[in-house]
DNA sequence: CTTGCTGCAAAAGTTTTGCACACGT
DNA sequence: ACGTGTGCAAAACTTTTGCAGCAAG
């Protein structure tokens, strides 16, 4: 195994981003490095504000504006992907390593579980072929009630 | 054929909503009737603001606030479903009749194509079973480049 | 050095809410 | 009549942007 854990990705990803920025005539600043670093530490989906808070707690100072601006570049560099599961806020996730295709969203607790569903690829390909689409990314989102929420009796019946 | 075209749904849906409201001690107002009517006329996904604009053009006066408030009730009544495909705005769609499970979103033109994918049900069930989830709704969203956009040469390669 | 970048605060956009009055049941 | 609804405008909240000074290439 050449690079199976989580650490080794950081360095190459940094190069990827740097190369992307250079290609666009943009600069690789410490702020961008720090943001990329925080993003790479994320295992699942995350929000812009979450990054801001965590970075502040760790003393890695950045402004809200810079976070949003950098997230945009990371999207363009295809290092992260948008995950739209919440109408109030955009979620992101790393595109590399694992790109889980399925999300179980508990409508009671808002908790998000990421799951794998290899069969989706075939469906995606079939649909895209039928419509002449060139697929970029995809996801299956399932909303429902988690066992925890059901157990806690989030009552809905009067 | 008892109710195969699109018209007949309106009346029962009206009853469904009315019954739902009554069950919650809520009222069936003309505004809510008008909004439901506009919603039922939608074949695909729609946005809150779209409803507002269209209803105003047709002289069916409603306030933004009432639209949003009513959409919430329609969601609770399970008459409509949220479709989260755009980070800037929530989309909705009718839950009844056809609930397309798949969406092809063109990242160039923003156009949304709704597609069917019956195989998804089995996947949903499997995932939910594995996690003890009680599914409510689900969807597959595929982002990519539509043939039209590709043809128009939305160039990305320098 | 030149050009882009940061932080701040204000702006923009969608969705929510407080209030006074009006209406469905 | 009571309790809910409506419209309006302001508030709330996420995301974007203008600007003055600063830093990367």
């Amino acid at each position: 195994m050449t690079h199976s854990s989580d650490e080794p990705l950081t360095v190459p990803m940094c190069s990827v981003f740097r190369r992307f920025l250079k290609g666009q005539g943009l600069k690789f600043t410490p702020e961008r490095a720090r943001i990329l670093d925080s993003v790479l530490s994320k295992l699942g989906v995350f929000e812009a504000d979450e990054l801001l808070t965590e970075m502040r707690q760790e003393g890695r100072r950045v402004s809200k504006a810079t976070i949003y601006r950098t997230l945009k570049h990371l999207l363009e560099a295809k290092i992260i992907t948008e995950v739209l599961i919440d109408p109030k806020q955009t979620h992101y996730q790393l595109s590399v390593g694992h790109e889980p295709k399925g999300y179980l969203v508990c409508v009671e607790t808002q908790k998000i579980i990421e799951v794998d569903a290899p069969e989706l690829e075939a469906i995606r390909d079939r649909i895209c072929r039928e419509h002449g689409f060139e697929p970029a990314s995809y996801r299956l989102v399932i909303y429902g009630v988690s066992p925890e929420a059901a157990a806690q009796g989030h009552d809905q019946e009067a």
Side-chain angles (χ1 to χ4, degrees), chain A residues 5-7 9-10 13 34-58 60 67 71 74 79-81 83 91-100 114:
Chain A
S5 85
D6 31 31
E7 290 280 11
L9 281 197
T10 305
M13 206 44 84
R34 271 180 252 149
I35 293 170
L36 173 60
D37 203 50
S38 290
V39 165
L40 290 175
S41 79
K42 291 292 174 188
L43 294 176
V45 298
F46 59 90
E47 308 156 28
D49 199 61
E50 192 182 328
L51 283 185
L52 182 62
T53 306
E54 291 186 14
M55 292 185 68
R56 291 233 162 125
Q57 285 179 344
E58 297 167 13
R60 330 194 109 203
I67 297 246
L71 284 176
L74 288 170
I79 293 174
I80 61 174
T81 314
V83 182
H91 287 75
Y92 303 88
Q93 81 179 6
L94 275 173
S95 328
V96 284
H98 65 312
E99 185 170 9
E114 307 180 24

Side-chain angles (χ1 to χ4, degrees), chain A residues 132-152:
Chain A
F133 249 70
E134 188 194 312
S137 68
Y138 66 101
R139 85 184 61 94
L140 173 68
V141 185
I142 303 172
Y143 296 89
V145 182
S146 65
E148 298 80 30
Q152 284 187 20

Side-chain angles (χ1 to χ4, degrees), chain A residues 28-142:
Chain A
F28 186 72
T29 64
E31 287 83 1
R32 289 181 180 167
R34 271 180 252 149
I35 293 170
L36 173 60
D37 203 50
S38 290
V39 165
L40 290 175
S41 79
K42 291 292 174 188
L43 294 176
V45 298
F46 59 90
E47 308 156 28
D49 199 61
E50 192 182 328
L51 283 185
L52 182 62
T53 306
E54 291 186 14
M55 292 185 68
R56 291 233 162 125
Q57 285 179 344
E58 297 167 13
R60 330 194 109 203
R61 190 163 188 72
V62 267
S63 71
K64 209 166 39 175
T66 298
I67 297 246
Y68 279 107
R69 287 189 275 234
T70 301
L71 284 176
K72 226 150 237 165
H73 291 310
L74 288 170
L75 279 173
E76 285 171 29
K78 302 242 203 297
I79 293 174
I80 61 174
T81 314
E82 280 178 340
V83 182
L84 309 171
I85 42 190
D86 180 344
K88 308 309 292 286
Q89 216 162 340
T90 305
H91 287 75
Y92 303 88
Q93 81 179 6
L94 275 173
S95 328
V96 284
H98 65 312
E99 185 170 9
K101 303 96 188 162
Y103 299 88
L104 272 167
V105 183
C106 177
V107 298
E108 302 286 0
T109 66
Q110 318 299 338
K111 225 182 93 179
I112 301 167
I113 300 173
E114 307 180 24
V115 297
D116 241 327
E119 318 95 293
L120 287 178
E121 267 184 44
I123 300 178
R124 175 203 59 185
D125 290 341
R126 198 211 73 218
I127 292 176
C128 284
R129 207 178 312 118
E130 284 174 6
H131 293 267
F133 249 70
E134 188 194 312
S137 68
Y138 66 101
R139 85 184 61 94
L140 173 68
V141 185
I142 303 172

